[in-house]
Amino acid sequence: MSTFEGKKEFTAEVQAALPEATALSQTSLEDAIALILPLEKKCRVNNDHNNLREVSLHLVRLCRNVNDWDKLNAMLSLINKRSSQYKSTLTAVVAEASEYLEQVPSVAVKVDLLKTLKEVTDGKIYLEGESAKIHFTLAKIYEDRGDLTEACNTIQDVHVETYGSLTRQQKAEYILEQIRLNLLKKDYIRVAIHSRKMNQKTIEEAGFEDIKIRFYKLQIEFYTHERNSWEIAQAYYKIANTKTSETFTTENVQAALEAAIIYLLTAPRDNHQHDMLHRVKASLTATFKDLTVNVHVVHALQLFAKDEIIVSPFAGQAEFLSHTTWQLFATPEELSFFYDEFAVRVIEHNLRVVAKYYERISLGRLGALIKLSRDDLEHHLSNMSYTGALGLKIDQPAAIVTFAPKRSSEEVLSEWSGDITKMLQQMEATCHLINRENMVHKV
């Protein structure tokens, strides 16, 4: 029956052929498929989309009903080649075949079916959601086999952040899996790439608490390897500011807050670190006033918040350095690095305090104040001068350190401009006096 030019319907033929093919498949699957394929071509050539979808689905079901999984894979590939331009047909076929994934007799058969579905869905925008799920399932199977490389290769090039058919929660879960697998593989460059895909505003919303905690724990593991104390402290503080639940209790908040303080004190001093230090200190009596934070951790925080020299070892330093946070993700080499960094932060704090109260001081007196040898003292002073943390000059022969406030490039330029202006004014005044004397002499 013709509906409009260029399109025909074969409903009657389809309704007659499908039951016959089903009965024939019990004795010969090949004959059943051979019966339906010409009808599939008729529907496809004559743009009979509805019947084409039914015929294609019946071809898939025939293979499943007789448990011929190899033929099923071959049939999916054939339908993909013949009907790639028919979205409704391929969408229905992929949905049907995806239901069979839980019915396969073995993992090997499941992997073959997933690979076939992966080929069918790849590159098709209207099947991007299904494609992402197929890649995810295949990666989990490879991981269970212990093949991390293949698992990462399967999942890491799926750009779910651009997919419109997935919810924000599904996208976040997918990115977490990409990060986790690459961390297991120790591919830290790709960890950084996938981490930047996570929308941090989204995971701060209600309902994303579990994803937020898992994401920042993965970030902590990554930044521990990178030995970035500042980023570790920020990640722990984000976790500490997460709403509590049955799985995330006040004890978890307390542990995260203590870890944030520890790594914050280990981070290099700058405006951001200094600001966060005082915000965290203030939050102990406000946001986190109901928590019983470790007294040694709080004491260390208070020492760094004051403009006073920290006598090392300070009271409770041994307990501070033995806190369980240090060993959570760090290897022995990384742990040694963080211990050394904390010792350096104490020295740098003491040098800043001295610079605040002294303009000039001898190296001997300075070393006695902060208990450092001259060689170590010069080493730390040179590093702070080089990084711009302190403005200073060392007179080696006289063994004198002169502290000067760090000046910005604008201040230096303004001073230079003022000096030039003053010099030009003096030159103009001098020329005026010379001209006056010449005129008097001529008269």
Side-chain angles (χ1 to χ4, degrees), residues 365-415:
R365 174 60 178 159
L366 181 56
L369 283 173
I370 63 175
K371 297 182 180 179
L372 276 183
S373 66
R374 176 163 177 169
D375 289 341
D376 290 340
L377 185 59
E378 290 184 0
H379 170 73
H380 289 290
L381 285 171
S382 299
N383 281 344
M384 294 187 75
S385 177
Y386 175 74
T387 58
L390 269 183
L392 60 92
K393 292 181 181 179
I394 303 176
D395 185 344
Q396 289 280 6
I400 298 292
V401 181
T402 303
F403 295 106
K406 183 182 177 183
R407 297 192 301 170
S408 65
S409 55
E410 290 81 5
E411 291 174 334
V412 174
L413 183 61
S414 296
E415 183 181 348

Side-chain angles (χ1 to χ4, degrees), residues 141-198:
I141 293 174
Y142 286 137
E143 183 189 2
D144 293 340
R145 288 180 176 179
D147 191 350
L148 281 175
T149 300
E150 194 62 34
C152 288
N153 292 341
T154 301
I155 202 174
Q156 66 190 6
D157 291 327
V158 182
H159 303 289
V160 290
E161 69 278 5
T162 64
Y163 290 2
S165 56
L166 297 178
T167 65
R168 292 187 300 169
Q169 191 149 3
Q170 288 174 325
K171 293 178 184 180
E173 293 276 4
Y174 210 98
I175 293 171
L176 282 180
E177 191 67 12
Q178 291 174 324
I179 297 171
R180 186 186 67 82
L181 285 175
N182 280 289
L183 270 176
L184 289 174
K185 187 187 173 187
K186 301 189 184 303
D187 188 347
Y188 296 105
I189 293 176
R190 286 196 176 271
V191 170
I193 292 171
H194 289 305
S195 296
R196 285 194 287 269
K197 294 178 181 180
M198 184 67 78

Side-chain angles (χ1 to χ4, degrees), residues 114-133:
L114 282 167
K115 285 182 177 178
T116 303
L117 288 171
K118 178 174 171 288
E119 292 175 3
V120 173
T121 57
D122 276 351
K124 298 178 177 66
I125 295 176
Y126 56 91
L127 290 173
E128 59 187 11
E130 291 78 1
S131 176
K133 294 171 186 175

Side-chain angles (χ1 to χ4, degrees), residues 193-252:
I193 292 171
H194 289 305
S195 296
R196 285 194 287 269
K197 294 178 181 180
M198 184 67 78
N199 189 329
Q200 296 189 20
K201 290 184 179 179
T202 298
I203 61 176
E204 292 291 340
E205 296 177 6
F208 285 83
E209 289 82 6
D210 180 59
I211 292 174
K212 175 183 175 182
I213 293 169
R214 286 161 53 200
F215 172 68
Y216 283 116
K217 283 184 177 179
L218 292 174
Q219 291 297 96
I220 290 165
E221 187 175 348
F222 168 64
Y223 284 117
T224 299
H225 171 267
E226 297 294 307
R227 302 183 180 185
N228 191 328
S229 302
W230 167 246
E231 293 292 347
I232 297 172
Q234 283 191 304
Y236 271 122
Y237 196 61
K238 291 280 189 181
I239 294 174
N241 279 286
T242 304
K243 183 181 178 182
T244 56
S245 62
E246 291 182 3
T247 56
F248 187 69
T249 62
T250 53
E251 287 76 13
N252 300 125

Side-chain angles (χ1 to χ4, degrees), residues 29-94:
L29 179 61
E30 293 292 339
D31 292 342
I33 292 174
L35 176 65
I36 295 183
L37 280 179
L39 186 56
E40 183 271 342
K41 182 178 180 180
K42 277 186 180 180
C43 295
R44 175 164 42 84
V45 171
N46 291 280
N47 296 317
D48 187 359
H49 294 185
N50 293 333
N51 286 315
L52 175 62
R53 181 173 64 252
E54 291 302 318
V55 171
S56 299
L57 284 172
H58 200 73
L59 285 169
V60 172
R61 289 166 183 159
L62 288 177
C63 299
R64 168 65 188 92
N65 291 340
V66 297
N67 292 321
D68 193 336
W69 299 100
D70 291 335
K71 196 66 179 177
L72 173 62
N73 291 331
M75 193 54 57
L76 288 171
S77 298
L78 179 64
I79 293 171
N80 181 40
K81 290 176 183 177
R82 289 187 172 189
S83 307
S84 59
Q85 70 272 34
Y86 298 102
K87 296 181 182 180
S88 60
T89 299
L90 275 185
T91 302
V93 167
V94 169

